Amino acid sequence: MSIRLEHISKRFGTSLPAAVDDVSIDMPEGTTTALIGPSGCGKTTTLRMINRLIEPTAGRIVVAGEDVTKVDPVELRRRIGYVIQQVGLFPHMTIADNIATVPRLLGWPEARIGSRIDELLHLVGLDPAVVRGRYPRHLSGGQRQRIGVARALAADPPVMLMDEPFGAIDPITRSRLQDEFKEILRRVRKTVAIVTHDLDEALKMGDRVAIMKEGRLVQHDTPDAILARPADAFVESFVGADRALRRLGLAVLEDVMRPPAGARGPRLAANTSLRQALSTLLANDAAKVLIVDAADRIIGEASRDDILDRHRRDSPERPA
């Protein structure tokens, strides 16, 4: 299902400026759109209007060709997965019962629900035999976040909304969960809108990034295009002076790999970002990295010049 926002606005009072002001965004089916901007820019309000937790003042929100304002809001929310920073698990219910919440509301038979619980726990990397009967208080923050994702996926919704889903987790766990969720999305193909305050997260998670300021949309494009061609001075400042390095984080060693020539060097996987590879080269004062497969066999190499040449080739021409 695609999502289309058509000139949506939201005012919380006639004397107040619009929290969201004439925003239009297309989110094609099967893609992830990251909404980002300074605090108070309207990104969370925009997200919550999609499932009518907040009603728009003006404009239309169309999901799979249907105007959501003409759909019963309770029915609508059962068709849209929703993940929040605080996870929102019911503390008095077991993990299995938390995941089963929406399928039971939809009247699924218990056998189907039980099978779905096990399937989803495996999908998010948890052992059903270990966690099924536990309560949220027995799990770590990262595990609870995984359960939040599993619960949102329980009824197999075609659309998922995520509001700062990894914001309360330590950086190492957060990065791992981002990678795991990207892999889950690759397999289950959902249309996702994710709100984040973290630019690196937006660039990593989003097929497209929507940058907002004071309730208005200022740029909506691919991560690479935003870093290469900021729409205005605000976006240029927002993405930072190190945007060239951030662009290196969007490509991987496999993109610049050459046949191995027997040289020594640090070993890195083919899916390592060029940014991380360059950092590794500098840290080790090495001329090349050796690219290895899952069995640690050397399959290629890449030099510092290979990485920098890729960056120069992809960079837009500077005006004379």
Side-chain angles (χ1 to χ4, degrees):
M1 288 187 181
S2 62
I3 303 171
R4 189 169 71 251
L5 312 183
E6 299 177 350
H7 303 287
I8 62 165
S9 296
K10 179 62 184 180
R11 290 183 180 273
F12 290 101
T14 55
S15 62
L16 298 173
V20 176
D21 189 4
D22 192 28
V23 167
S24 295
I25 304 175
D26 278 322
M27 305 180 191
E29 181 176 357
T31 64
T32 297
T33 299
L35 303 171
I36 190 170
S39 296
C41 70
K43 55 188 182 291
T44 293
T45 300
T46 299
L47 186 83
R48 292 180 179 177
M49 285 193 283
I50 295 173
N51 65 353
R52 294 182 61 189
L53 288 174
I54 295 175
E55 296 288 351
T57 304
R60 286 205 321 156
I61 299 172
V62 180
V63 177
E66 186 173 30
D67 186 341
V68 301
T69 62
K70 303 186 186 305
V71 179
D72 176 75
V74 174
E75 175 63 26
L76 175 71
R77 289 170 203 144
R78 290 176 183 174
R79 290 158 33 192
I80 296 177
Y82 189 45
V83 184
I84 59 175
Q85 178 176 323
Q86 297 81 8
V87 184
L89 299 178
F90 300 116
H92 61 288
M93 293 168 57
T94 66
I95 297 308
D97 286 336
N98 265 282
I99 296 172
T101 301
V102 173
R104 285 193 176 126
L105 288 172
L106 295 175
W108 286 23
E110 285 299 318
R112 183 184 177 192
I113 291 173
S115 175
R116 182 65 171 161
I117 290 168
D118 289 348
E119 176 188 357
L120 288 168
L121 287 172
H122 283 301
L123 186 67
V124 300
L126 295 172
D127 184 349
V130 174
V131 303
R132 243 179 169 274
R134 292 188 177 181
Y135 290 86
R137 65 181 179 274
H138 298 143
L139 305 184
S140 68
Q143 288 173 325
R144 287 196 297 271
Q145 199 67 60
R146 284 182 172 86
I147 299 303
V149 170
R151 186 176 65 178
L153 289 167
D156 199 21
V159 170
M160 288 190 67
L161 309 180
M162 308 184 76
D163 190 1
E164 300 276 9
F166 312 118
I169 303 171
D170 68 88
I172 293 175
T173 303
R174 180 178 188 169
S175 178
R176 188 169 67 248
L177 284 177
Q178 290 167 352
D179 291 338
E180 290 172 357
F181 190 68
K182 282 194 72 172
E183 175 60 22
I184 289 169
L185 290 181
R186 187 187 67 78
R187 284 184 276 167
V188 300
R189 188 172 169 78
K190 305 290 181 185
T191 305
V192 179
I194 179 171
V195 163
T196 178
H197 67 275
D198 184 289
L199 180 61
D200 287 325
E201 182 167 272
L203 297 173
K204 182 176 184 177
M205 299 297 294
D207 298 302
R208 296 180 72 84
V209 177
I211 300 178
M212 299 182 68
K213 175 190 178 186
E214 297 175 350
R216 297 190 68 87
L217 180 68
V218 291
Q219 189 167 3
H220 177 221
D221 213 325
T222 64
D224 191 65
I226 285 174
L227 292 174
R229 297 176 293 279
D232 58 20
F234 167 77
V235 176
E236 186 169 9
S237 173
F238 187 79
V239 299
D242 62 346
R243 59 192 175 96
L245 281 175
R246 292 184 189 276
R247 287 192 75 206
L248 284 177
L250 302 177
V252 296
L253 279 173
E254 188 175 21
D255 299 329
V256 299
M257 183 170 66
R258 293 186 289 111
R264 291 185 175 183
R267 294 179 173 226
L268 294 173
N271 63 353
T272 302
S273 75
L274 297 188
R275 182 177 181 176
Q276 179 58 48
L278 184 60
S279 177
T280 300
L281 284 170
L282 293 173
N284 290 274
D285 193 24
K288 298 178 180 180
V289 293
L290 303 180
I291 303 168
V292 297
D293 62 15
D296 201 40
R297 294 182 296 249
I298 297 173
I299 57 174
E301 66 179 38
S303 69
R304 193 178 310 184
D305 285 342
D306 292 329
I307 294 171
L308 295 178
D309 285 346
R310 167 61 186 258
H311 172 64
R312 295 186 194 103
R313 188 169 66 249
D314 289 349
S315 296
E317 293 184 8
R318 294 182 179 273

